[in-house]
Amino acid sequence: MLGAIFSIPLIIKKNITYSENITYSENITYSENNQSPNLYQYSKPSDNLINWLNELEKYECNNCPIDFHRKDSNGLFSYGCLQFQKETFLRNLKKYYPEIYNNIEGDEWLNLIYDCDFQKELAYKMIKDNPDNIWHWATSIKRGLPKPF
């Protein structure tokens, strides 16, 4: 009888898609207990724009609570970590996520606008589509945030 049990890790290559435009591949190694060693080290792909959006969050709303909103100098409220205004958020939600936009009822948009990861994904799409969209955050750029490109 064999005195030891040997474990051979299984390596699986899979593609992960965060949105329509952001895809990367990773190798995941599963051991005998079928748990990924990267289980709690999940991270999004890195590029200059993603790094810029993370810095933008610090300029717009550093350490703000999730449901943070404030009245801007134009008299309108800005919401969440990137301080989107309702009209800008909904207009771009409709453009990039029409299926979500068409199914929103009442104040459900607040659930999305307070989701920082969703704000960053939406801003990513906006800026990739049109680099001039960085100027939605002109105040942060004027305060010293370098442009992403």
Side-chain angles (χ1 to χ4, degrees):
M1 179 182 280
L2 187 59
I5 297 175
F6 294 96
S7 172
I8 300 173
L10 173 64
I11 298 175
I12 300 172
K13 184 171 179 120
K14 72 178 188 176
N15 289 326
I16 297 175
T17 303
Y18 293 105
S19 68
E20 299 157 14
N21 299 324
I22 310 171
T23 303
Y24 83 105
S25 296
E26 68 177 8
N27 288 326
I28 299 177
T29 304
Y30 291 94
S31 61
E32 62 192 292
N33 63 4
N34 276 342
Q35 288 199 351
S36 166
N38 300 320
L39 188 61
Y40 300 105
Q41 298 173 10
Y42 184 79
S43 63
K44 294 183 178 178
S46 180
D47 69 21
N48 286 341
L49 183 52
I50 290 173
N51 294 334
W52 186 81
L53 291 169
N54 289 332
E55 285 300 308
L56 176 62
E57 178 185 4
K58 294 174 189 172
Y59 276 79
E60 289 290 323
C61 196
N62 195 26
N63 296 319
C64 293
I66 291 172
D67 62 350
F68 180 77
H69 61 280
R70 67 177 179 85
K71 194 174 271 192
D72 244 335
S73 58
N74 62 4
L76 301 174
F77 280 100
S78 295
Y79 300 86
C81 70
L82 299 186
Q83 292 292 279
F84 267 93
Q85 292 188 347
K86 179 181 179 180
E87 191 274 331
T88 304
F89 182 81
L90 290 176
R91 183 178 67 247
N92 286 287
L93 182 67
K94 183 178 183 179
K95 180 176 182 177
Y96 297 105
Y97 297 96
E99 67 287 347
I100 293 173
Y101 178 84
N102 291 331
N103 290 304
I104 288 181
E105 297 177 358
D107 287 339
E108 287 179 342
W109 63 274
L110 287 166
N111 294 328
L112 294 171
I113 204 166
Y114 285 129
D115 183 333
C116 189
D117 289 333
F118 189 78
Q119 278 199 12
K120 288 179 182 179
E121 184 172 324
L122 184 60
Y124 186 95
K125 287 183 176 218
M126 290 168 57
I127 296 167
K128 280 291 193 181
D129 188 38
N130 180 356
D132 286 340
N133 279 326
I134 65 170
W135 295 110
H136 283 287
W137 295 277
T139 301
S140 289
I141 293 169
K142 290 176 185 172
R143 286 188 302 173
L145 178 65
K147 297 176 204 166
F149 26 76

